[in-house]
Structure formats: C-alpha cells, structure tokens
Amino acid sequence: MQKKVPNVTFRTRVRDDSIEGPNPFRWEHKTSDDYFAGKRVVLFSLPGAFTPTCSTYQLPDFEKLYDDFKAKGIDEIYCISVNDAFVMNAWAKAQGIGKVKVIPDGSGEFTRKMGMLVAKDNLGFGMRSWRYGAVVNNGVIEMWFEEEGFSDNCESDPYGVSSPQNILQALKEAEPVAA
Ligand code: BEZ
C-alpha cells in the first residue's frame, strides 16, 4: 500500500513588510497539501535546529546540492524539525539558507504521525524527530532513508543514510538506463 505523508497544519512565520515596527512577520498556516501536493520533493528531518551535525553537514550540504537535486526531478527540498517557526527561521537565516525550505513541526504532530517521534530526554530535548529523509511524490512516499537504531534516548546520533549525498546517489541509481 502507498504510504502518504500525514495531513497536518503547520504554524509558520512569514515576512510581511506591510507590518510596521521591528518585527514585520505574521503567522501563516500551511497544510501538508501546501507543501506536498503536485510536487516531487525531498524531505529530511533531524533532531534539532542549531545542533552540530545538522548545522555543519546536513542542512548546508542539502543547500549546496540543491541544483543537483533539481536536475534529478526534485521540485523542492524541505527540512523539518520538532522546533517552532521562530527557531526554524532563525536557524535558516543564521545558516544563510535560501534554497532549502524549513518546516516548523513545533508540536511534533507531523513527526508523530510519520512514526518518527522519539524521546531525547537524555539530552534535555524532550520529544524530537528521529533522523530520516524521504522522496515524496505528490504526498506519497516514494523513497525512504531512515538512520539505523530508531530508539528513545539514543546515546548516539547516527548520520549517513539520510545525508544529501546518499539520497542523491539513490535518485541517480533509480533513473532508467537509456536503451
Ligand atoms: C547533532 O546534530 O550533532 C546533534 C543532534 C542531536 C543531539 C545532539 C547532537
């Protein structure tokens, strides 16, 4: 059976220059359909904004390889984390991210419904996402890249399967060979 991404509403913050004052942002609700309907995208999910592996490798490497993903038929790349919109926007800005789009799953609803919510109380994080990636085509999960060892309070932070390099390689290998 085809597995679809769950239908949830994300609470995002978007810039609106019609708002005066030092903080010209407003709330904008975006649904799963807004992000996934009619598009083939790469989604990657990680344990937390501003954390070392995510900030040093995973997010910046997806940004660097964005055009390579586009060349393989990917319309968008989304980075999701169980962090609120203020944190996700601040992280993207701090990292100079302009191509990859961040999705705030502050309440963890999307992550929970994906079956990827884990406790990270051992780090004082509360409930967060296990690290995974996916190619999602019109809301249907086409390819799945989950780090090994899915568990609560994991002592390590596996990273490799869901790296942009690995996902890009899988997309290349999945291409039909010309006759
Ligand atoms: C990291 O990305 O390096 C990281 C993620 C979660 C907890 C600790 C570190």
Side-chain angles (χ1 to χ4, degrees):
M1 201 180 73
Q2 287 186 330
K3 188 176 170 193
K4 290 200 79 177
V5 295
N7 224 336
V8 309
T9 299
F10 300 96
R11 272 70 179 175
T12 75
R13 297 280 299 171
V14 296
R15 193 176 177 94
D16 181 344
D17 288 318
S18 71
I19 298 170
E20 289 181 14
N23 202 338
F25 289 83
R26 61 176 164 76
W27 291 106
E28 188 168 289
H29 288 184
K30 291 201 175 104
T31 65
S32 295
D33 268 1
D34 290 330
Y35 287 115
F36 295 104
K39 291 176 211 156
R40 187 171 183 236
V41 308
V42 169
L43 171 72
F44 66 100
S45 188
L46 38 79
F50 291 101
T51 55
T53 304
C54 312
S55 296
T56 310
Y57 302 108
Q58 200 170 16
L59 179 58
D61 284 354
F62 268 110
E63 178 82 6
K64 279 183 212 138
L65 290 170
Y66 181 87
D67 293 335
D68 298 56
F69 279 99
K70 293 285 278 189
K72 293 290 157 227
I74 296 300
D75 299 313
E76 299 280 4
I77 301 179
Y78 299 137
C79 170
I80 192 166
S81 179
V82 182
N83 288 115
D84 63 64
F86 296 99
V87 169
M88 290 303 274
N89 285 356
W91 187 37
K93 188 174 177 191
Q95 294 275 124
I97 298 301
K99 295 174 174 175
V100 173
K101 296 192 168 95
V102 293
I103 303 181
D105 186 28
S107 69
E109 184 185 358
F110 182 91
T111 303
R112 177 172 54 79
K113 290 178 174 172
M114 286 289 279
M116 288 288 109
L117 199 62
V118 288
K120 288 207 164 281
D121 298 320
N122 57 328
L123 298 174
F125 279 21
M127 301 304 287
R128 294 297 178 101
S129 180
W130 189 251
R131 207 189 281 278
Y132 69 90
V135 175
V136 183
N137 197 348
N138 193 25
V140 175
I141 296 170
E142 179 188 326
M143 299 170 95
W144 183 249
F145 305 88
E146 179 181 328
E147 298 297 340
E148 280 184 19
F150 176 93
S151 54
D152 286 333
N153 299 312
C154 187
E155 287 301 325
S156 62
D157 176 32
Y159 176 59
V161 176
S162 65
S163 69
Q165 293 83 358
N166 191 55
I167 297 176
L168 190 58
Q169 184 60 31
L171 282 165
K172 287 178 184 168
E173 285 169 12
E175 274 184 350
V177 181

PDB file of all heavy atoms in Angstrom, residues 67-102:
ATOM      1  N   ASP A  67      20.852  22.251  -6.607  1.00  0.00           N
ATOM      2  CA  ASP A  67      20.706  22.236  -8.066  1.00  0.00           C
ATOM      3  C   ASP A  67      20.876  20.825  -8.642  1.00  0.00           C
ATOM      4  O   ASP A  67      20.247  20.482  -9.642  1.00  0.00           O
ATOM      5  CB  ASP A  67      21.696  23.215  -8.716  1.00  0.00           C
ATOM      6  CG  ASP A  67      21.347  24.660  -8.361  1.00  0.00           C
ATOM      7  OD1 ASP A  67      20.162  24.936  -8.049  1.00  0.00           O
ATOM      8  OD2 ASP A  67      22.262  25.510  -8.356  1.00  0.00           O
ATOM      9  N   ASP A  68      21.703  20.013  -7.995  1.00  0.00           N
ATOM     10  CA  ASP A  68      21.854  18.611  -8.422  1.00  0.00           C
ATOM     11  C   ASP A  68      20.544  17.849  -8.212  1.00  0.00           C
ATOM     12  O   ASP A  68      20.160  17.013  -9.030  1.00  0.00           O
ATOM     13  CB  ASP A  68      22.973  17.917  -7.647  1.00  0.00           C
ATOM     14  CG  ASP A  68      24.328  18.559  -7.873  1.00  0.00           C
ATOM     15  OD1 ASP A  68      24.451  19.761  -7.633  1.00  0.00           O
ATOM     16  OD2 ASP A  68      25.261  17.858  -8.282  1.00  0.00           O
ATOM     17  N   PHE A  69      19.880  18.134  -7.087  1.00  0.00           N
ATOM     18  CA  PHE A  69      18.571  17.501  -6.843  1.00  0.00           C
ATOM     19  C   PHE A  69      17.554  17.967  -7.878  1.00  0.00           C
ATOM     20  O   PHE A  69      16.767  17.172  -8.391  1.00  0.00           O
ATOM     21  CB  PHE A  69      18.073  17.807  -5.419  1.00  0.00           C
ATOM     22  CG  PHE A  69      18.684  16.932  -4.358  1.00  0.00           C
ATOM     23  CD1 PHE A  69      19.740  17.368  -3.579  1.00  0.00           C
ATOM     24  CD2 PHE A  69      18.197  15.648  -4.146  1.00  0.00           C
ATOM     25  CE1 PHE A  69      20.302  16.552  -2.606  1.00  0.00           C
ATOM     26  CE2 PHE A  69      18.745  14.811  -3.182  1.00  0.00           C
ATOM     27  CZ  PHE A  69      19.804  15.272  -2.411  1.00  0.00           C
ATOM     28  N   LYS A  70      17.576  19.260  -8.196  1.00  0.00           N
ATOM     29  CA  LYS A  70      16.640  19.781  -9.211  1.00  0.00           C
ATOM     30  C   LYS A  70      16.846  19.049 -10.537  1.00  0.00           C
ATOM     31  O   LYS A  70      15.883  18.699 -11.223  1.00  0.00           O
ATOM     32  CB  LYS A  70      16.864  21.290  -9.430  1.00  0.00           C
ATOM     33  CG  LYS A  70      16.516  22.164  -8.246  1.00  0.00           C
ATOM     34  CD  LYS A  70      15.036  22.344  -8.029  1.00  0.00           C
ATOM     35  CE  LYS A  70      14.437  23.421  -8.914  1.00  0.00           C
ATOM     36  NZ  LYS A  70      13.052  23.724  -8.536  1.00  0.00           N
ATOM     37  N   ALA A  71      18.116  18.798 -10.861  1.00  0.00           N
ATOM     38  CA  ALA A  71      18.429  18.115 -12.123  1.00  0.00           C
ATOM     39  C   ALA A  71      17.926  16.670 -12.125  1.00  0.00           C
ATOM     40  O   ALA A  71      17.786  16.050 -13.183  1.00  0.00           O
ATOM     41  CB  ALA A  71      19.936  18.152 -12.365  1.00  0.00           C
ATOM     42  N   LYS A  72      17.657  16.138 -10.952  1.00  0.00           N
ATOM     43  CA  LYS A  72      17.130  14.759 -10.860  1.00  0.00           C
ATOM     44  C   LYS A  72      15.613  14.747 -10.656  1.00  0.00           C
ATOM     45  O   LYS A  72      15.035  13.756 -10.203  1.00  0.00           O
ATOM     46  CB  LYS A  72      17.804  14.008  -9.695  1.00  0.00           C
ATOM     47  CG  LYS A  72      19.282  13.765  -9.936  1.00  0.00           C
ATOM     48  CD  LYS A  72      19.504  12.739 -11.042  1.00  0.00           C
ATOM     49  CE  LYS A  72      20.873  12.904 -11.667  1.00  0.00           C
ATOM     50  NZ  LYS A  72      20.891  12.907 -13.121  1.00  0.00           N
ATOM     51  N   GLY A  73      14.963  15.862 -10.967  1.00  0.00           N
ATOM     52  CA  GLY A  73      13.493  15.876 -10.950  1.00  0.00           C
ATOM     53  C   GLY A  73      12.874  16.198  -9.603  1.00  0.00           C
ATOM     54  O   GLY A  73      11.709  15.864  -9.365  1.00  0.00           O
ATOM     55  N   ILE A  74      13.650  16.845  -8.743  1.00  0.00           N
ATOM     56  CA  ILE A  74      13.119  17.247  -7.426  1.00  0.00           C
ATOM     57  C   ILE A  74      12.722  18.727  -7.493  1.00  0.00           C
ATOM     58  O   ILE A  74      13.512  19.591  -7.900  1.00  0.00           O
ATOM     59  CB  ILE A  74      14.187  17.009  -6.328  1.00  0.00           C
ATOM     60  CG1 ILE A  74      14.489  15.510  -6.199  1.00  0.00           C
ATOM     61  CG2 ILE A  74      13.753  17.604  -4.996  1.00  0.00           C
ATOM     62  CD1 ILE A  74      13.307  14.628  -5.817  1.00  0.00           C
ATOM     63  N   ASP A  75      11.493  19.015  -7.080  1.00  0.00           N
ATOM     64  CA  ASP A  75      10.978  20.388  -7.166  1.00  0.00           C
ATOM     65  C   ASP A  75      11.361  21.241  -5.953  1.00  0.00           C
ATOM     66  O   ASP A  75      11.566  22.447  -6.085  1.00  0.00           O
ATOM     67  CB  ASP A  75       9.446  20.370  -7.282  1.00  0.00           C
ATOM     68  CG  ASP A  75       8.982  19.631  -8.536  1.00  0.00           C
ATOM     69  OD1 ASP A  75       9.551  19.917  -9.608  1.00  0.00           O
ATOM     70  OD2 ASP A  75       8.094  18.778  -8.439  1.00  0.00           O
ATOM     71  N   GLU A  76      11.393  20.597  -4.786  1.00  0.00           N
ATOM     72  CA  GLU A  76      11.693  21.352  -3.560  1.00  0.00           C
ATOM     73  C   GLU A  76      12.451  20.443  -2.601  1.00  0.00           C
ATOM     74  O   GLU A  76      12.310  19.213  -2.649  1.00  0.00           O
ATOM     75  CB  GLU A  76      10.405  21.786  -2.831  1.00  0.00           C
ATOM     76  CG  GLU A  76       9.471  22.692  -3.592  1.00  0.00           C
ATOM     77  CD  GLU A  76       9.892  24.166  -3.579  1.00  0.00           C
ATOM     78  OE1 GLU A  76      10.980  24.482  -3.035  1.00  0.00           O
ATOM     79  OE2 GLU A  76       9.154  24.978  -4.137  1.00  0.00           O
ATOM     80  N   ILE A  77      13.215  21.069  -1.715  1.00  0.00           N
ATOM     81  CA  ILE A  77      13.823  20.324  -0.602  1.00  0.00           C
ATOM     82  C   ILE A  77      13.333  20.967   0.692  1.00  0.00           C
ATOM     83  O   ILE A  77      13.445  22.188   0.876  1.00  0.00           O
ATOM     84  CB  ILE A  77      15.363  20.360  -0.659  1.00  0.00           C
ATOM     85  CG1 ILE A  77      15.874  19.753  -1.974  1.00  0.00           C
ATOM     86  CG2 ILE A  77      15.947  19.613   0.545  1.00  0.00           C
ATOM     87  CD1 ILE A  77      17.392  19.763  -2.121  1.00  0.00           C
ATOM     88  N   TYR A  78      12.785  20.125   1.560  1.00  0.00           N
ATOM     89  CA  TYR A  78      12.241  20.605   2.834  1.00  0.00           C
ATOM     90  C   TYR A  78      13.010  20.015   4.001  1.00  0.00           C
ATOM     91  O   TYR A  78      13.240  18.796   4.053  1.00  0.00           O
ATOM     92  CB  TYR A  78      10.784  20.188   2.992  1.00  0.00           C
ATOM     93  CG  TYR A  78       9.831  20.718   1.942  1.00  0.00           C
ATOM     94  CD1 TYR A  78       8.857  19.873   1.388  1.00  0.00           C
ATOM     95  CD2 TYR A  78       9.873  22.044   1.530  1.00  0.00           C
ATOM     96  CE1 TYR A  78       7.959  20.355   0.443  1.00  0.00           C
ATOM     97  CE2 TYR A  78       8.975  22.526   0.583  1.00  0.00           C
ATOM     98  CZ  TYR A  78       8.022  21.679   0.044  1.00  0.00           C
ATOM     99  OH  TYR A  78       7.136  22.146  -0.888  1.00  0.00           O
ATOM    100  N   CYS A  79      13.334  20.870   4.944  1.00  0.00           N
ATOM    101  CA  CYS A  79      13.969  20.463   6.197  1.00  0.00           C
ATOM    102  C   CYS A  79      12.953  20.649   7.318  1.00  0.00           C
ATOM    103  O   CYS A  79      12.480  21.771   7.548  1.00  0.00           O
ATOM    104  CB  CYS A  79      15.196  21.343   6.437  1.00  0.00           C
ATOM    105  SG  CYS A  79      15.915  21.142   8.070  1.00  0.00           S
ATOM    106  N   ILE A  80      12.612  19.564   7.983  1.00  0.00           N
ATOM    107  CA  ILE A  80      11.607  19.644   9.048  1.00  0.00           C
ATOM    108  C   ILE A  80      12.245  19.248  10.368  1.00  0.00           C
ATOM    109  O   ILE A  80      13.158  18.408  10.409  1.00  0.00           O
ATOM    110  CB  ILE A  80      10.386  18.750   8.711  1.00  0.00           C
ATOM    111  CG1 ILE A  80       9.215  19.032   9.652  1.00  0.00           C
ATOM    112  CG2 ILE A  80      10.737  17.274   8.717  1.00  0.00           C
ATOM    113  CD1 ILE A  80       7.901  18.435   9.159  1.00  0.00           C
ATOM    114  N   SER A  81      11.788  19.869  11.434  1.00  0.00           N
ATOM    115  CA  SER A  81      12.285  19.513  12.769  1.00  0.00           C
ATOM    116  C   SER A  81      11.210  19.855  13.788  1.00  0.00           C
ATOM    117  O   SER A  81      10.370  20.730  13.544  1.00  0.00           O
ATOM    118  CB  SER A  81      13.573  20.292  13.061  1.00  0.00           C
ATOM    119  OG  SER A  81      14.060  19.990  14.354  1.00  0.00           O
ATOM    120  N   VAL A  82      11.243  19.159  14.915  1.00  0.00           N
ATOM    121  CA  VAL A  82      10.318  19.490  16.003  1.00  0.00           C
ATOM    122  C   VAL A  82      10.882  20.724  16.713  1.00  0.00           C
ATOM    123  O   VAL A  82      11.496  20.639  17.779  1.00  0.00           O
ATOM    124  CB  VAL A  82      10.097  18.296  16.955  1.00  0.00           C
ATOM    125  CG1 VAL A  82       9.088  18.683  18.042  1.00  0.00           C
ATOM    126  CG2 VAL A  82       9.587  17.078  16.188  1.00  0.00           C
ATOM    127  N   ASN A  83      10.730  21.835  16.032  1.00  0.00           N
ATOM    128  CA  ASN A  83      11.105  23.155  16.557  1.00  0.00           C
ATOM    129  C   ASN A  83      10.060  24.144  16.046  1.00  0.00           C
ATOM    130  O   ASN A  83       9.498  23.948  14.969  1.00  0.00           O
ATOM    131  CB  ASN A  83      12.477  23.609  16.025  1.00  0.00           C
ATOM    132  CG  ASN A  83      13.640  22.840  16.618  1.00  0.00           C
ATOM    133  OD1 ASN A  83      14.339  22.126  15.902  1.00  0.00           O
ATOM    134  ND2 ASN A  83      13.862  22.960  17.892  1.00  0.00           N
ATOM    135  N   ASP A  84       9.846  25.207  16.787  1.00  0.00           N
ATOM    136  CA  ASP A  84       8.835  26.189  16.364  1.00  0.00           C
ATOM    137  C   ASP A  84       9.349  27.070  15.225  1.00  0.00           C
ATOM    138  O   ASP A  84      10.535  27.048  14.875  1.00  0.00           O
ATOM    139  CB  ASP A  84       8.362  27.020  17.557  1.00  0.00           C
ATOM    140  CG  ASP A  84       9.482  27.845  18.160  1.00  0.00           C
ATOM    141  OD1 ASP A  84      10.008  28.735  17.464  1.00  0.00           O
ATOM    142  OD2 ASP A  84       9.848  27.584  19.320  1.00  0.00           O
ATOM    143  N   ALA A  85       8.434  27.847  14.659  1.00  0.00           N
ATOM    144  CA  ALA A  85       8.742  28.651  13.469  1.00  0.00           C
ATOM    145  C   ALA A  85       9.812  29.707  13.748  1.00  0.00           C
ATOM    146  O   ALA A  85      10.621  30.016  12.862  1.00  0.00           O
ATOM    147  CB  ALA A  85       7.464  29.332  12.976  1.00  0.00           C
ATOM    148  N   PHE A  86       9.838  30.248  14.961  1.00  0.00           N
ATOM    149  CA  PHE A  86      10.849  31.260  15.273  1.00  0.00           C
ATOM    150  C   PHE A  86      12.247  30.641  15.217  1.00  0.00           C
ATOM    151  O   PHE A  86      13.184  31.211  14.665  1.00  0.00           O
ATOM    152  CB  PHE A  86      10.595  31.845  16.676  1.00  0.00           C
ATOM    153  CG  PHE A  86       9.298  32.595  16.785  1.00  0.00           C
ATOM    154  CD1 PHE A  86       8.175  31.988  17.323  1.00  0.00           C
ATOM    155  CD2 PHE A  86       9.194  33.908  16.340  1.00  0.00           C
ATOM    156  CE1 PHE A  86       6.974  32.677  17.435  1.00  0.00           C
ATOM    157  CE2 PHE A  86       7.995  34.606  16.436  1.00  0.00           C
ATOM    158  CZ  PHE A  86       6.879  33.983  16.985  1.00  0.00           C
ATOM    159  N   VAL A  87      12.368  29.458  15.794  1.00  0.00           N
ATOM    160  CA  VAL A  87      13.663  28.768  15.831  1.00  0.00           C
ATOM    161  C   VAL A  87      14.079  28.354  14.413  1.00  0.00           C
ATOM    162  O   VAL A  87      15.229  28.556  14.006  1.00  0.00           O
ATOM    163  CB  VAL A  87      13.593  27.551  16.774  1.00  0.00           C
ATOM    164  CG1 VAL A  87      14.827  26.671  16.638  1.00  0.00           C
ATOM    165  CG2 VAL A  87      13.429  28.009  18.214  1.00  0.00           C
ATOM    166  N   MET A  88      13.147  27.771  13.670  1.00  0.00           N
ATOM    167  CA  MET A  88      13.494  27.284  12.322  1.00  0.00           C
ATOM    168  C   MET A  88      13.908  28.454  11.424  1.00  0.00           C
ATOM    169  O   MET A  88      14.879  28.352  10.661  1.00  0.00           O
ATOM    170  CB  MET A  88      12.329  26.511  11.706  1.00  0.00           C
ATOM    171  CG  MET A  88      12.058  25.171  12.371  1.00  0.00           C
ATOM    172  SD  MET A  88      13.476  24.053  12.375  1.00  0.00           S
ATOM    173  CE  MET A  88      13.299  23.264  10.776  1.00  0.00           C
ATOM    174  N   ASN A  89      13.175  29.571  11.502  1.00  0.00           N
ATOM    175  CA  ASN A  89      13.541  30.731  10.672  1.00  0.00           C
ATOM    176  C   ASN A  89      14.893  31.298  11.089  1.00  0.00           C
ATOM    177  O   ASN A  89      15.713  31.670  10.235  1.00  0.00           O
ATOM    178  CB  ASN A  89      12.469  31.823  10.786  1.00  0.00           C
ATOM    179  CG  ASN A  89      11.214  31.488   9.998  1.00  0.00           C
ATOM    180  OD1 ASN A  89      11.160  30.480   9.305  1.00  0.00           O
ATOM    181  ND2 ASN A  89      10.197  32.323  10.107  1.00  0.00           N
ATOM    182  N   ALA A  90      15.128  31.369  12.388  1.00  0.00           N
ATOM    183  CA  ALA A  90      16.408  31.910  12.880  1.00  0.00           C
ATOM    184  C   ALA A  90      17.565  31.022  12.447  1.00  0.00           C
ATOM    185  O   ALA A  90      18.648  31.500  12.082  1.00  0.00           O
ATOM    186  CB  ALA A  90      16.368  32.043  14.398  1.00  0.00           C
ATOM    187  N   TRP A  91      17.326  29.711  12.452  1.00  0.00           N
ATOM    188  CA  TRP A  91      18.385  28.776  12.050  1.00  0.00           C
ATOM    189  C   TRP A  91      18.694  28.931  10.554  1.00  0.00           C
ATOM    190  O   TRP A  91      19.859  29.018  10.153  1.00  0.00           O
ATOM    191  CB  TRP A  91      17.947  27.343  12.388  1.00  0.00           C
ATOM    192  CG  TRP A  91      18.996  26.309  12.172  1.00  0.00           C
ATOM    193  CD1 TRP A  91      20.331  26.445  12.405  1.00  0.00           C
ATOM    194  CD2 TRP A  91      18.796  24.977  11.687  1.00  0.00           C
ATOM    195  NE1 TRP A  91      20.983  25.270  12.101  1.00  0.00           N
ATOM    196  CE2 TRP A  91      20.057  24.360  11.662  1.00  0.00           C
ATOM    197  CE3 TRP A  91      17.679  24.252  11.286  1.00  0.00           C
ATOM    198  CZ2 TRP A  91      20.232  23.046  11.239  1.00  0.00           C
ATOM    199  CZ3 TRP A  91      17.850  22.953  10.877  1.00  0.00           C
ATOM    200  CH2 TRP A  91      19.110  22.355  10.846  1.00  0.00           C
ATOM    201  N   ALA A  92      17.641  28.979   9.734  1.00  0.00           N
ATOM    202  CA  ALA A  92      17.852  29.132   8.280  1.00  0.00           C
ATOM    203  C   ALA A  92      18.605  30.439   7.988  1.00  0.00           C
ATOM    204  O   ALA A  92      19.523  30.473   7.167  1.00  0.00           O
ATOM    205  CB  ALA A  92      16.507  29.115   7.557  1.00  0.00           C
ATOM    206  N   LYS A  93      18.242  31.495   8.706  1.00  0.00           N
ATOM    207  CA  LYS A  93      18.910  32.795   8.494  1.00  0.00           C
ATOM    208  C   LYS A  93      20.381  32.714   8.921  1.00  0.00           C
ATOM    209  O   LYS A  93      21.274  33.150   8.199  1.00  0.00           O
ATOM    210  CB  LYS A  93      18.169  33.863   9.308  1.00  0.00           C
ATOM    211  CG  LYS A  93      18.632  35.261   9.025  1.00  0.00           C
ATOM    212  CD  LYS A  93      17.774  36.279   9.739  1.00  0.00           C
ATOM    213  CE  LYS A  93      18.331  37.675   9.492  1.00  0.00           C
ATOM    214  NZ  LYS A  93      17.718  38.675  10.362  1.00  0.00           N
ATOM    215  N   ALA A  94      20.615  32.118  10.079  1.00  0.00           N
ATOM    216  CA  ALA A  94      21.989  32.003  10.589  1.00  0.00           C
ATOM    217  C   ALA A  94      22.864  31.174   9.652  1.00  0.00           C
ATOM    218  O   ALA A  94      24.065  31.402   9.533  1.00  0.00           O
ATOM    219  CB  ALA A  94      21.971  31.382  11.981  1.00  0.00           C
ATOM    220  N   GLN A  95      22.228  30.221   8.960  1.00  0.00           N
ATOM    221  CA  GLN A  95      22.982  29.325   8.066  1.00  0.00           C
ATOM    222  C   GLN A  95      23.064  29.879   6.635  1.00  0.00           C
ATOM    223  O   GLN A  95      23.668  29.247   5.779  1.00  0.00           O
ATOM    224  CB  GLN A  95      22.283  27.961   8.016  1.00  0.00           C
ATOM    225  CG  GLN A  95      22.303  27.197   9.320  1.00  0.00           C
ATOM    226  CD  GLN A  95      23.582  26.390   9.481  1.00  0.00           C
ATOM    227  OE1 GLN A  95      24.290  26.545  10.469  1.00  0.00           O
ATOM    228  NE2 GLN A  95      23.903  25.553   8.536  1.00  0.00           N
ATOM    229  N   GLY A  96      22.404  31.007   6.373  1.00  0.00           N
ATOM    230  CA  GLY A  96      22.399  31.586   5.029  1.00  0.00           C
ATOM    231  C   GLY A  96      21.677  30.715   4.020  1.00  0.00           C
ATOM    232  O   GLY A  96      22.070  30.619   2.860  1.00  0.00           O
ATOM    233  N   ILE A  97      20.597  30.081   4.469  1.00  0.00           N
ATOM    234  CA  ILE A  97      19.860  29.144   3.610  1.00  0.00           C
ATOM    235  C   ILE A  97      18.847  29.909   2.751  1.00  0.00           C
ATOM    236  O   ILE A  97      18.052  30.695   3.272  1.00  0.00           O
ATOM    237  CB  ILE A  97      19.133  28.084   4.474  1.00  0.00           C
ATOM    238  CG1 ILE A  97      20.139  27.252   5.260  1.00  0.00           C
ATOM    239  CG2 ILE A  97      18.219  27.196   3.633  1.00  0.00           C
ATOM    240  CD1 ILE A  97      21.165  26.493   4.448  1.00  0.00           C
ATOM    241  N   GLY A  98      18.889  29.676   1.428  1.00  0.00           N
ATOM    242  CA  GLY A  98      17.962  30.372   0.536  1.00  0.00           C
ATOM    243  C   GLY A  98      17.196  29.451  -0.388  1.00  0.00           C
ATOM    244  O   GLY A  98      16.190  29.855  -0.983  1.00  0.00           O
ATOM    245  N   LYS A  99      17.659  28.213  -0.514  1.00  0.00           N
ATOM    246  CA  LYS A  99      17.036  27.287  -1.464  1.00  0.00           C
ATOM    247  C   LYS A  99      16.199  26.233  -0.728  1.00  0.00           C
ATOM    248  O   LYS A  99      15.044  25.988  -1.079  1.00  0.00           O
ATOM    249  CB  LYS A  99      18.111  26.619  -2.321  1.00  0.00           C
ATOM    250  CG  LYS A  99      18.846  27.609  -3.219  1.00  0.00           C
ATOM    251  CD  LYS A  99      20.004  26.957  -3.953  1.00  0.00           C
ATOM    252  CE  LYS A  99      20.625  27.930  -4.944  1.00  0.00           C
ATOM    253  NZ  LYS A  99      21.819  27.361  -5.591  1.00  0.00           N
ATOM    254  N   VAL A 100      16.805  25.604   0.261  1.00  0.00           N
ATOM    255  CA  VAL A 100      16.063  24.642   1.082  1.00  0.00           C
ATOM    256  C   VAL A 100      15.034  25.417   1.905  1.00  0.00           C
ATOM    257  O   VAL A 100      15.318  26.499   2.421  1.00  0.00           O
ATOM    258  CB  VAL A 100      17.032  23.893   2.030  1.00  0.00           C
ATOM    259  CG1 VAL A 100      16.274  23.013   3.009  1.00  0.00           C
ATOM    260  CG2 VAL A 100      18.025  23.059   1.215  1.00  0.00           C
ATOM    261  N   LYS A 101      13.828  24.853   2.016  1.00  0.00           N
ATOM    262  CA  LYS A 101      12.783  25.498   2.828  1.00  0.00           C
ATOM    263  C   LYS A 101      12.637  24.754   4.155  1.00  0.00           C
ATOM    264  O   LYS A 101      12.640  23.520   4.181  1.00  0.00           O
ATOM    265  CB  LYS A 101      11.451  25.492   2.076  1.00  0.00           C
ATOM    266  CG  LYS A 101      11.506  26.324   0.795  1.00  0.00           C
ATOM    267  CD  LYS A 101      10.119  26.551   0.216  1.00  0.00           C
ATOM    268  CE  LYS A 101      10.157  27.603  -0.883  1.00  0.00           C
ATOM    269  NZ  LYS A 101      10.280  27.070  -2.216  1.00  0.00           N
ATOM    270  N   VAL A 102      12.514  25.508   5.227  1.00  0.00           N
ATOM    271  CA  VAL A 102      12.360  24.878   6.537  1.00  0.00           C
ATOM    272  C   VAL A 102      10.879  24.786   6.900  1.00  0.00           C
ATOM    273  O   VAL A 102      10.091  25.668   6.565  1.00  0.00           O
ATOM    274  CB  VAL A 102      13.146  25.633   7.642  1.00  0.00           C
ATOM    275  CG1 VAL A 102      14.636  25.516   7.407  1.00  0.00           C
ATOM    276  CG2 VAL A 102      12.716  27.081   7.768  1.00  0.00           C
TER     277      VAL A 102
END
